[in-house]
Structure formats: C-alpha cells, structure tokens
Amino acid sequence: MRKMFLLIAFVITLILPFSLAAQANEGKHFTGPTSERSLARTVEEANAWMQKTEADLLAAVNDAGRAQWVGETFINEDTEQITAKANERLLARVNEAIRQGHQFEKLKGLSPEWKRKYMLLKLQGSPTDPKLLAELTQTAAQLDGMYGKGKYCLHGDPNNCKGVDELGVMMAKSRDPKELLDIWVGWHKVGAPMREKYARLAELSNEGARAFGFKDTGEQWRAGYDMSPAEFSAELDRVWTQLEPFYKELHAYVRTRLIEKYGDAARRSDGMIPAHLLGNMWAQEWGNIYDIVAPPKATKTPDLEEALKKQIASTTPETADMLLDHCKGKPCEVESSDAAEAARITAAKAMVKYGERFYTSMGFDPLPKTFWERSQFAKPRDRDVVCHASAWDVDNDLDLRVKLCLGVNADDFTTLHHELGHNIYQRAYRHQPFLFRNGANDGFHEAIGDSIALAITPEYLKDLKLIARVPPADADIALQLRTAMDKIAFLPFGLLIDQWRWKVFSGEVKPADYNKAWWQLREKYQGIAPPVPRSEADFDPGAKYHIPGNVPYTRYFLARVYQFQFYKAMCDASGYKGPLNRCTFYGSKAAGDKLNAMMEKGQSQPWQKTLKEMTGSDHIDAGPMLEYFAPLYAWLKQQNEKSGARIGWTVE
C-alpha cells in the first residue's frame, strides 16, 4: 500500500515543517504593531493582533492552496513560477507575523491558547532575506516539477516512456529479475539532475531555521512535537527498539523465499536483500510480492482486483471494456480516446465511493458536491501532473479534494480509504481557530486513514459483496503476513528518510557523500542493498518524492504505530470482542463518535493529551501493533528456525 498523502491541513508542505501555506498579503492589510518599538501595552491588544493575523493568514492560505493545486495538476514552466511566487509571498508574510508577535511574547496574562498559537507559528520560519526566500521557493518548485515530470523510457525507446506510477505497477507484477533491474535503474536516474538543487535547498532551508533560533532545519522539524528535539529522537529510538526484532524475523523469512524464487539474483553473502526484488520502487513496502512468500498451504486470498473490476463494470457499463478486457488484450485506445479517459475517471470515482461509504457508515457526513467536481481521480492523458496521492483542504473549510491517479486494484482501494481519512480529519477541525486547524501532530494525520484501512477485513469485503465468504480462522496467518509485508516492512524505511535528511541539514553528511550516506542508512536499518554499484554520480534520494518535495517523513513512521492504537480504541468502542486483526468497525456509530471527538481537537492541545483521550495512553506505544501481529510473529520465528535462516545481516 502506498502512503501518498502529503498535503495535510493547509496544502503546501514543500518548505514548511507541517502546515502553513498561502499566498501572503505582504502585510498590506495588517493594522497592528509593526515594530518592536511599538510596544504592546495590553493583553487585549495582543489578542486583537492574533485574531487579525489568523484572518489574514487564512485568506492568504486559500489563495496559495489554489495556486499549488494548479501547479501540481498542470505542470509546466508557468505554473511552476506561479507556485514559487505564491509560496514566496506566503513565507514573507509568515516571517513578518512571527516578527510582529515577538513584542507580545513576554507579556504577562497571555492565555495558554495565545502562547500555543504563537509557538506553532514560530515553527514555520524561513529565510528572512528576500533574495534567499525567493531562491528557496523557486528551487523548491523546480525540484517538485522535476520529480513530477520524471520518466524512464524502457529500453531507450522514446515512444515507451513511463512515469513512476506506471513503472511501479510493472515492478509490482513482474517476476523477471532482469526486467525489474532495468526498471529500478531507469527510474533512479531521475534523481541525478537534482543533486545540486537539493544541496542548495538544504542550505536555504537552514538559513530560515537559524533565523528563528534553531541549529538547523532538522532541529526545527523535530521541535514540532510538544517535546524537545532530543526527547523526540529518544522516543523514536525506543519504539524502533520494540519493533526491530519483528522486522528482522520478517526480513529473514522473505529473504529465504526470494532466494528460492530467484537464486543467485537474490543471494548475497552479507544477508541483505537486493532492492529491486521486493515489488516496490523503494523497497519500502513488500506486499506486492506476497505471492512469492505466501505460506505453502495457505488458503488462497480473494482476488480483490478482479472482484472490484467486475462490480464496478456492472454498475458503470461504460467502464466494462477497460476493466474486463473485452478488447481481448488489444489496447482499446485506453490512452488516447476521450471515451477511454472518461471511463477511467468514472471507474476511479466508483472506487472512491467505497471509501466514502465506510466513513458515512460510521456517522460522518457525505463528502461535499464540490469534492466530486474538483478532485483529480485519474491520471490525465494530456499533461504532466504529480500523481503522488494526496488529500487537500483548499479553503480550510469545505473545499475538500483528493489528487489521485487511481487504477482499479487492491493497493489503490486501500489508498483511497487512507486519503479520505485526511479529508474527514480536515473537516472535523474546521471550526478550530486557524492556527489549530491541523492534526494533533503530523503522524496523527497519516494514521487516521491507516486505522480505517486496517478495518478492511474479509468481513468488510463480504459486506460489500466483493467476496462471497469470510476465510476460516486458519487463514489468519496468511492475511497477517500480507498486511505485515506493508506495515512491518515499512518501519525502518519510515525512520531512515529523515535520519538521512537530518544529517544533511546538520552538516554531518556533505553533498559529496549524499548517496554513500543514503545507502549506509538503508543497509543499517532495512538490510537492503542496491542491485548495482552506486556512486556520487547518482542521487538516489531524489528518486523518492518526499526528498525533492521536502516533505518531512517521520510522520509516516509515527503513523504506522499510532494507527494500531487508534484502531484498537475504535474496535473497543464498537464493542468488538475477538482477535484484534479480525476487527472491523464498519457501520459502528460509536467508533465514529470516538474518532470524531479526537479529530475535532485539531492541534489545539499537546498531542499527548489528545492521544490519551482517544486511547488511554499519552505516548506512542507499539503494544497494539505487536498484539495485532502476535500470531504471525510466533509463526515467523518457527519458520526461520525450521529453515535455519540467518536473522539479520552484516553491514561493513
């Protein structure tokens, strides 16, 4: 399952740590104090300033949200420039607001709410020099566009060039190691031209962080979790220590099965797994190769893709040729005709309807009419777009949208349930003051949809008539293994992206060693090695969207753990009794009430308090995740003992 939900509360995460984004008004309409010599004399004045600032920023964010939407759904030089200028004006306005608010900061009698708002605002600081700010936004927009336009022409054929989503489908389905290697090497070439621009982006980003008292951008990002950066890093280490043994058992089992399948193409003396054999461009999730690692006598899992195609085709006959291969293997003009494009959009909307139905079954309102009119559901055939899936709240109220390039398949079925979780969260906290319209922390925003996706159980699929019967209890190991191939396999990748980036921001990793440091971390945490030698002529981090997109990534690691805490809390609220992995709360209004009570708080209080109100725990806890997978963990140990599989790998 791909986690592609980048734009959380306010649309742009190109530059900012987590939420503010807007076309700034450059202070033209600001009527409060504008210099530290204009001393604030009353709490009332401070409150009036905050109210006005939030109103200005809200209006500005909405303007920039629309610019950003166009920039990612119509990629060209003009929209790139428009996006860059919108971000530049926004960041200048945010910097001005931070500076203006400084004169109130030590005033006695300020409310805790005012102090929290200003703390969150300060976390958004960027370079204060106008020239550097302009360069930062331009560089960020260029990198985003470079990734979005990236393609690999298979076998050097200029008439057979594909973007990362199409290449990803090929990697998921191919079992030819030579073809997989060609695709992997081909796509990773997209990163090389980004190296110098990324190095400059890191320098400029650090300028902004230091202007507001942080050592570097990494420290600024880690400061956004209601604890010190050092405490936050320690929490990550603690949770990874809990989960690393499970990952190593899964790694050993998968490596054994890959060697059985591919022989020498998968065998390495150091015990690592070649990165191109795991069914995913970045080896971050391994579920696409479940057929290779499935237990030998496992009950065959239902073909969800085939069931979806048949059901959608039966309700939308205009999609039948595309979905059911009535063209008998011929192209059906799928890429070129207006009718085929309309059919793809219709099928994608039908997919999204499944997700909407899950949320409405829990008591949430249907999505607004404008959602269906303004979202991008399928990849357009006439222009470049950023296909990386994301959920948007363009006006911080009810202009909810998704930006997807959906196909009709099991992965995208899960993705759409996830993405709609962002939209439901955005709508839930829309009544909060502007600076609190965000997730309790960025990991919460990612975890909401994931916790819903965990409830895509066989029972749920049977309710939808996508499967005829629920598999027996003895199928649970197979079902858990399929889930762990995404959830557990992802954990070290979720950590290492920002481990690399924080080292870049701190200067510990220099531009001359970008690729070397990248693969050192991948080997250390994942036990994954490049399939061919890599050098500093390559920039493999650039082949992963979140690096050129400058999107913080630790949120996804946090979400992988939080989601099981949320899921268990909703299962309990629904009254479910039984093995945790079989719980679905589809149709439970009590579970919906539990979730909504948490989401409505937004970022108005420390996330620890919000988490405790939802789950009873005030800290990230791997316990529910380990409970969910306990049968599989025991089974993996048994399998590895039987096969004599080596646990772990050697890092030179």
Side-chain angles (χ1 to χ4, degrees):
M1 181 175 64
R2 294 165 293 183
K3 296 296 173 279
M4 309 294 161
F5 17 67
L6 309 178
L7 308 175
I8 297 190
F10 308 128
V11 197
I12 301 172
T13 48
L14 285 176
I15 301 156
L16 302 180
F18 39 84
S19 64
L20 275 179
Q23 179 178 353
N25 296 321
E26 300 181 279
K28 292 178 181 177
H29 306 297
F30 179 72
T31 59
T34 57
S35 75
E36 294 189 23
R37 288 178 291 181
S38 302
L39 295 176
R41 300 186 183 279
T42 66
V43 170
E44 287 74 18
E45 189 176 7
N47 291 337
W49 172 84
M50 181 62 77
Q51 184 176 6
K52 178 62 176 173
T53 296
E54 286 193 280
D56 285 351
L57 289 174
L58 174 58
V61 161
N62 296 343
D63 288 343
R66 291 182 174 88
Q68 184 74 7
W69 175 266
V70 174
E72 293 210 1
T73 56
F74 291 83
I75 298 176
N76 58 45
E77 290 75 11
D78 291 330
T79 59
E80 187 176 282
Q81 289 291 329
I82 291 168
T83 298
K85 293 304 292 183
N87 289 342
E88 179 185 341
R89 290 191 294 268
L90 161 69
L91 296 180
R93 179 64 182 93
V94 171
N95 284 345
E96 176 67 4
I98 296 170
R99 189 185 67 78
Q100 291 167 349
H102 181 65
Q103 63 187 302
F104 301 107
E105 192 174 13
K106 295 182 180 179
L107 189 65
K108 292 181 180 180
L110 291 172
S111 68
E113 181 182 85
W114 194 101
K115 292 179 180 179
R116 182 167 181 78
K117 287 178 180 178
Y118 188 59
M119 179 272 290
L120 294 172
L121 185 61
K122 286 194 294 184
L123 289 171
Q124 322 287 331
S126 54
T128 54
D129 183 309
K131 291 183 179 179
L132 295 181
L133 184 59
E135 185 183 358
L136 172 65
T137 55
Q138 183 67 44
T139 303
Q142 289 171 348
L143 284 166
D144 198 52
M146 290 170 76
Y147 187 93
K149 291 182 285 189
K151 288 182 174 61
Y152 170 55
C153 300
L154 294 164
H155 311 298
D157 180 0
N159 297 314
N160 193 20
C161 300
K162 299 183 182 297
V164 67
D165 281 286
E166 295 169 296
L167 296 171
V169 171
M170 294 178 68
M171 288 203 77
K173 295 185 176 182
S174 176
R175 297 297 178 259
D176 179 349
K178 291 183 179 179
E179 181 180 41
L180 291 169
L181 180 62
D182 179 64
I183 295 169
W184 189 95
V185 172
W187 173 254
H188 278 73
K189 291 178 182 178
V190 76
M194 301 178 186
R195 173 188 285 268
E196 290 186 11
K197 288 186 184 297
Y198 183 79
R200 184 57 178 157
L201 181 74
E203 291 176 358
L204 294 166
S205 185
N206 277 341
E207 287 283 342
R210 290 169 186 147
F212 293 95
F214 298 100
K215 291 180 181 178
D216 55 59
T217 301
E219 184 179 79
Q220 185 180 23
W221 287 5
R222 294 192 299 277
Y225 292 93
D226 294 302
M227 58 177 64
S228 72
E231 289 171 334
F232 179 63
S233 293
E235 278 290 274
L236 296 178
D237 291 341
R238 177 184 62 78
V239 176
W240 174 235
T241 298
Q242 284 183 276
L243 294 166
E244 185 179 18
F246 191 171
Y247 174 79
K248 287 187 173 180
E249 294 288 346
L250 180 64
H251 180 282
Y253 174 78
V254 170
R255 181 184 58 217
T256 298
R257 301 307 298 271
L258 285 171
I259 291 172
E260 291 174 0
K261 172 73 174 177
Y262 293 120
D264 288 345
R267 186 180 289 108
R268 291 177 56 97
S269 61
D270 56 16
M272 296 188 199
I273 299 174
H276 67 306
L277 297 179
L278 289 160
N280 176 274
M281 188 66 75
W282 310 279
Q284 68 181 63
E285 293 168 324
W286 307 345
N288 289 324
I289 62 160
Y290 172 75
D291 60 294
I292 295 175
V293 306
K297 297 181 180 180
T299 301
K300 186 177 180 181
T301 56
D303 189 339
L304 181 57
E305 179 174 329
E306 187 65 22
L308 285 165
K309 287 179 176 179
K310 288 181 178 178
Q311 194 170 95
I312 291 173
S314 70
T315 56
T316 56
E318 65 270 32
T319 69
D321 283 349
M322 179 185 71
L323 295 176
L324 301 182
D325 195 23
H326 288 174
C327 300
K328 315 238 180 253
K330 296 180 181 179
C332 278
E333 298 183 340
V334 167
E335 295 299 325
S336 59
S337 73
D338 290 341
E341 181 171 48
R344 287 200 306 276
I345 294 171
T346 298
K349 285 184 176 181
M351 285 276 284
V352 176
K353 281 289 186 181
Y354 287 111
E356 182 189 41
R357 217 158 33 237
F358 196 115
Y359 289 96
T360 56
S361 84
M362 297 173 69
F364 293 102
D365 290 336
L367 291 161
K369 180 182 177 183
T370 53
F371 172 89
W372 301 101
E373 297 169 343
R374 299 172 184 174
S375 291
Q376 173 188 294
F377 296 106
K379 187 179 187 301
R381 64 188 175 90
D382 61 346
R383 63 185 186 274
D384 288 323
V385 300
V386 176
C387 266
H388 204 84
S390 52
W392 300 57
D393 181 8
V394 177
D395 68 350
N396 288 279
D397 188 25
L398 288 174
D399 191 353
L400 305 171
R401 307 181 193 182
V402 289
K403 179 179 62 60
L404 301 168
C405 296
L406 284 179
V408 179
N409 57 64
D411 276 0
D412 285 356
F413 185 74
T414 303
T415 294
L416 65 90
H417 282 77
H418 169 92
E419 292 302 334
L420 295 188
H422 289 298
N423 290 142
I424 299 300
Y425 201 174
Q426 289 159 341
R427 184 169 61 184
Y429 56 59
R430 57 188 276 262
H431 298 298
Q432 289 284 349
F434 174 70
L435 286 170
F436 293 156
R437 293 182 197 177
N438 201 359
N441 68 37
D442 53 7
F444 275 58
H445 233 300
E446 301 303 329
I448 296 297
D450 279 351
S451 65
I452 300 299
L454 284 172
I456 301 176
T457 62
E459 288 82 358
Y460 168 55
L461 297 177
K462 185 174 182 296
D463 281 345
L464 297 184
K465 296 182 170 54
L466 288 169
I467 62 175
R469 65 183 184 87
V470 175
D474 61 10
D476 278 10
I477 290 297
L479 292 171
Q480 285 202 325
L481 178 59
R482 176 61 182 84
T483 303
M485 293 285 284
D486 287 339
K487 302 293 184 182
I488 299 298
F490 176 83
L491 291 167
F493 189 81
L495 271 181
L496 72 87
I497 295 284
D498 280 348
Q499 295 291 332
W500 177 83
R501 196 154 32 185
W502 295 341
K503 291 176 185 290
V504 168
F505 288 139
S506 73
E508 181 179 344
V509 170
K510 308 294 185 187
D513 295 318
Y514 276 173
N515 228 44
K516 176 182 176 182
W518 175 258
W519 284 107
Q520 284 176 337
L521 287 168
R522 297 202 65 182
E523 292 170 358
K524 173 185 174 181
Y525 282 100
Q526 284 187 288
I528 300 296
V532 294
R534 311 303 284 168
S535 73
E536 294 307 322
D538 305 300
F539 182 55
D540 293 329
K544 176 62 181 170
Y545 174 78
H546 300 73
I547 299 299
N550 208 33
V551 179
Y553 208 77
T554 302
R555 61 182 64 173
Y556 302 111
F557 175 82
L558 297 173
R560 276 302 198 276
V561 183
Y562 287 146
Q563 66 187 260
F564 287 89
Q565 294 181 263
F566 298 166
Y567 173 71
K568 181 175 173 58
M570 285 186 280
C571 287
D572 291 344
S574 73
Y576 172 79
K577 305 293 182 185
L580 187 57
N581 65 289
R582 282 198 164 233
C583 165
T584 186
F585 34 77
Y586 178 66
S588 172
K589 301 295 194 296
D593 290 344
K594 184 79 168 178
L595 179 61
N596 193 58
M598 183 195 77
M599 294 192 300
E600 285 180 335
K601 299 292 176 59
Q603 204 171 14
S604 64
Q605 61 189 22
W607 66 265
Q608 293 89 339
K609 183 176 181 181
T610 302
L611 182 65
K612 188 168 185 176
E613 291 170 356
M614 172 74 170
T615 69
S617 173
D618 64 358
H619 62 278
I620 184 170
D621 179 15
M625 190 177 202
L626 293 172
E627 177 187 347
Y628 181 98
F629 285 116
L632 175 66
Y633 189 21
W635 183 85
L636 286 171
K637 288 182 176 180
Q638 292 172 355
Q639 299 306 305
N640 288 330
E641 287 173 4
K642 287 179 183 178
S643 67
R646 170 186 178 183
I647 308 301
W649 52 88
T650 302
V651 177
E652 295 182 0

